[in-house]
Amino acid sequence: MRRITRPATAAVTMTTALAALAALSGCTDASSTSGNAGDKDTLTLGMTQDIQGWDPTSQPSYQGWGASAVYESLFRCDALGKPHPAAAESWTFKPGNMGVTVHLRSGMKFSDGTPVNSAAVKTMIEYAGKQSASATRFAGMKVTTPDDLTAVITTPSPNPVFTARMCEAKLASPKYLAAGNTQKAPVGSGPYTLDTKATTSGSVYTFVKNDNYWDSKTFPYKKLVLKVLTNETASINALKTGQIDGSLITQATYTQAKAAGLKIQTQHSQVSRLLLTDHLGKKIPALGNVDVRRAINMVFDKDSIAKNLYHGLAGTTPQIFRPGSAAYIEGMKDPYPYDVEAAKALMAKAGYAKGFSIEVPYMQGQNMDAVLPVVKQQLGLLNIKVKQVTLSGPNAISELLSGKYPMPFWMLGNYGDSRLDMEDYILPDGNWNVMHQTDPTVAKLWKKILTDDTAQSAKDQQAINRYVVDQAWFVPLASPGMFYAYNPKLKVQQSTDPNALHPLLWDFK
């Protein structure tokens, strides 16, 4: 990667700040946790973030073990995004990515005793199309029910990522959805049910096995316990002392985990990034200027960030797509190498030498704690004044995605199918394109991708990649691995997660 020469004093200052931040650690005592880790009948997992309620349409793929425990989907997608039977035991896709006919397995019931049937599928799809967290993914889908176990789902236009959406569609009891209180105990048809008496919201969630689940043998544990440990020191101590069986860790505790004899599974799919979603300057006029967005990219020494804040366990990349995906461009050089003076010149050229103020949302436990101070520090060199807004509670994710904050800083995974990245991060209705702004170049290329064959799709996806890099829609700061540490007595198969974030619930054996 080409580097721009800079004054030695600036390099020393930056490296010192990064190294100091990297040394920071929490001090929560892990002895406050308790549980049954190591019990052959109980699987106890740590979570670095709390469960944000139980609405089936707003369950994240990141650490979504609670949702996987209580809810069943139509399909179960593997690491490559291929569908496998779940609530649907067979299916036939419609030509042109226009929908599917699913045949549900008989005898399934929700935990309130109501049947999992085609009417429940219809209710779920219609509900998902009206909720803010999922409307862009399911709006316009129609469902007909020829019989109790057959549902015909059609899309209003070609949808090349339709299979993935059906894997995301978590089925909940129609009675539960109609009651309107999805923050209370969930009512699904998954392999476990929530034990409310042994659950303390924000701390410990306990689930008991649903022996009537159709694939009960895939989930060997009689009890699942999820413990919320947002402090990494508490998490690694709980792992080392056997209070939990597994947890996500970061580069900061990787060496400790290795030294303690824990096993570590690594996923390569993450990019820590600023998302400059107000590229039309509707809320922050400065972000509508491409020179400002390019300047923001150039003010970060990404190599130092990867080395110091991620302990050498991260790389750098100018693009957001996963290596090997159709959109990924092999050998792409960073068009925005680290050069503070050049970045300042771009700000002056754009008429923003005096900078501007912006709010950046923050949530604890998202592997951003050490990096965010550097983001604030470096943007300050461009006179960009960052106000950190801490989000918490059940509405944190919805607030993050509301568009109130046009420049989120987040560590996002990248899919094996890069069209999913485009839907989530680039298209105007994408959840993470929080300002939902349109762009004619993207629209034109996406229209082609809807019906492209495989070879042409790759070319058009790479064209979108080049365009958003040229327009500096993102600031990719580092490409760290995702590390999952677990008890060596535990058997965890290689993750089947299509998002490549961590093992899924059925990967624990």
Side-chain angles (χ1 to χ4, degrees):
M1 183 178 298
R2 186 164 64 93
R3 295 285 297 280
I4 296 295
T5 303
R6 60 200 187 279
T9 54
V12 171
T13 301
M14 179 66 172
T15 302
T16 301
L18 290 168
L21 285 165
L24 293 177
S25 62
C27 57
T28 300
D29 186 357
S31 65
S32 62
T33 65
S34 61
N36 300 308
D39 184 337
K40 66 179 180 179
D41 290 330
T42 301
L43 177 65
T44 305
L45 304 180
M47 296 182 66
T48 66
Q49 67 177 26
D50 194 9
I51 292 173
Q52 302 289 318
W54 292 106
D55 192 302
T57 67
S58 60
Q59 297 301 315
S61 54
Y62 181 58
Q63 302 188 89
W65 300 298
S68 296
V70 297
Y71 291 125
E72 182 64 288
S73 298
L74 285 174
F75 305 149
R76 189 183 296 171
C77 279
D78 64 19
L80 298 177
K82 181 180 177 181
H84 295 266
E89 60 181 356
S90 64
W91 54 84
T92 303
F93 285 107
K94 295 180 179 297
N97 298 315
M98 293 294 292
V100 67
T101 298
V102 297
H103 302 284
L104 304 172
R105 60 183 69 253
S106 62
M108 286 186 66
K109 291 184 178 180
F110 294 106
S111 56
D112 63 2
T114 59
V116 178
N117 55 21
S118 58
V121 173
K122 179 179 173 65
T123 298
M124 187 68 243
I125 296 295
E126 291 176 349
Y127 177 84
K130 297 175 182 177
Q131 305 306 304
S132 59
S134 58
T136 57
R137 300 181 178 192
F138 294 92
M141 291 187 186
K142 303 295 183 184
V143 184
T144 58
T145 56
D147 58 55
D148 280 352
L149 296 179
T150 304
V152 181
I153 306 169
T154 57
T155 62
S157 59
N159 186 343
V161 295
F162 180 77
T163 301
R165 299 306 177 223
M166 293 300 99
C167 288
E168 294 171 3
K170 294 176 172 58
L171 301 174
S173 164
K175 290 182 179 179
Y176 175 68
L177 297 178
N181 185 5
T182 55
Q183 299 306 312
K184 68 177 185 179
V187 181
S189 58
Y192 293 89
T193 57
L194 181 68
D195 182 351
T196 56
K197 293 182 179 179
T199 291
T200 302
S201 182
S203 178
V204 178
Y205 299 85
T206 302
F207 306 81
V208 293
K209 189 170 181 178
N210 173 12
D211 290 324
N212 294 322
Y213 181 66
W214 69 273
D215 190 23
S216 180
K217 66 181 185 302
T218 297
F219 302 88
Y221 296 94
K222 293 181 180 179
K223 183 185 295 185
L224 170 68
V225 178
L226 301 178
K227 294 187 175 183
V228 181
L229 299 168
T230 58
N231 181 280
E232 189 166 4
T233 298
S235 184
I236 193 69
N237 286 341
L239 277 166
K240 289 160 67 174
T241 56
Q243 295 175 66
I244 58 175
D245 291 312
S247 177
L248 281 163
I249 62 171
T250 69
Q251 292 76 10
T253 52
Y254 182 92
T255 301
Q256 290 184 56
K258 276 286 189 183
L262 297 167
K263 287 191 174 183
I264 300 176
Q265 188 178 116
T266 303
Q267 315 294 325
H268 297 283
S269 68
Q270 299 291 295
V271 177
S272 296
R273 67 191 85 168
L274 286 164
L275 297 93
L276 310 184
T277 68
D278 192 11
H279 47 82
L280 297 181
K282 298 287 188 180
K283 189 176 182 69
I284 306 292
L287 292 180
N289 191 301
V290 69
D291 284 329
V292 170
R293 301 195 300 269
R294 289 169 178 169
I296 291 173
N297 269 272
M298 294 180 72
V299 81
F300 292 103
D301 186 343
K302 299 167 188 175
D303 287 336
S304 290
I305 289 172
K307 178 181 178 181
N308 292 291
L309 293 188
Y310 292 97
H311 300 263
L313 296 170
T316 59
T317 178
Q319 53 192 313
I320 65 166
F321 296 100
R322 189 194 298 183
S325 67
Y328 185 80
I329 300 171
E330 194 71 40
M332 176 186 279
K333 293 183 177 180
D334 191 347
Y336 312 115
Y338 176 55
D339 189 334
V340 174
E341 294 308 312
K344 289 180 177 179
L346 282 175
M347 292 291 287
K349 175 187 173 186
Y352 290 98
K354 294 183 179 180
F356 56 93
S357 298
I358 190 167
E359 293 183 329
V360 173
Y362 163 80
M363 288 176 62
Q364 187 181 22
Q366 307 305 310
N367 203 17
M368 302 185 300
D369 297 19
V371 187
L372 186 56
V374 174
V375 169
K376 295 165 67 176
Q377 168 189 291
Q378 293 307 108
L379 290 179
L381 299 179
L382 301 180
N383 295 315
I384 299 174
K385 304 169 187 67
V386 174
K387 178 183 178 182
Q388 177 180 315
V389 180
T390 301
L391 304 180
S392 62
N395 297 320
I397 294 297
S398 59
E399 186 175 356
L400 175 68
L401 301 177
S402 68
K404 181 178 180 180
Y405 308 104
M407 192 173 75
F409 171 47
W410 207 254
M411 185 175 75
L412 291 170
N414 298 109
Y415 303 94
D417 185 342
S418 46
R419 295 173 298 184
L420 287 168
D421 291 299
M422 293 176 184
E423 279 216 332
D424 277 1
Y425 311 140
I426 294 174
L427 295 187
D429 56 359
N431 284 349
W432 284 97
N433 186 356
V434 298
M435 294 295 290
H436 304 301
Q437 295 176 353
T438 59
D439 182 275
T441 300
V442 168
K444 181 178 179 180
L445 288 166
W446 182 253
K447 185 176 180 180
K448 293 178 63 180
I449 289 169
L450 291 176
T451 55
D452 275 344
D453 60 28
T454 301
Q456 187 59 46
S457 179
K459 293 179 181 178
D460 290 330
Q461 289 182 59
Q462 289 181 9
I464 286 182
N465 187 3
R466 288 190 185 91
Y467 178 74
V468 298
V469 170
D470 176 69
Q471 293 297 303
W473 282 17
F474 303 93
V475 186
L477 295 174
S479 180
M482 288 289 287
F483 305 110
Y484 194 84
Y486 60 95
N487 187 325
K489 296 181 180 179
L490 201 67
K491 182 179 179 181
V492 184
Q493 69 181 20
Q494 185 60 38
S495 172
T496 57
D497 184 5
N499 304 315
L501 294 170
H502 46 59
L504 299 180
L505 193 55
W506 44 78
D507 294 324
F508 295 90
K509 302 302 181 184

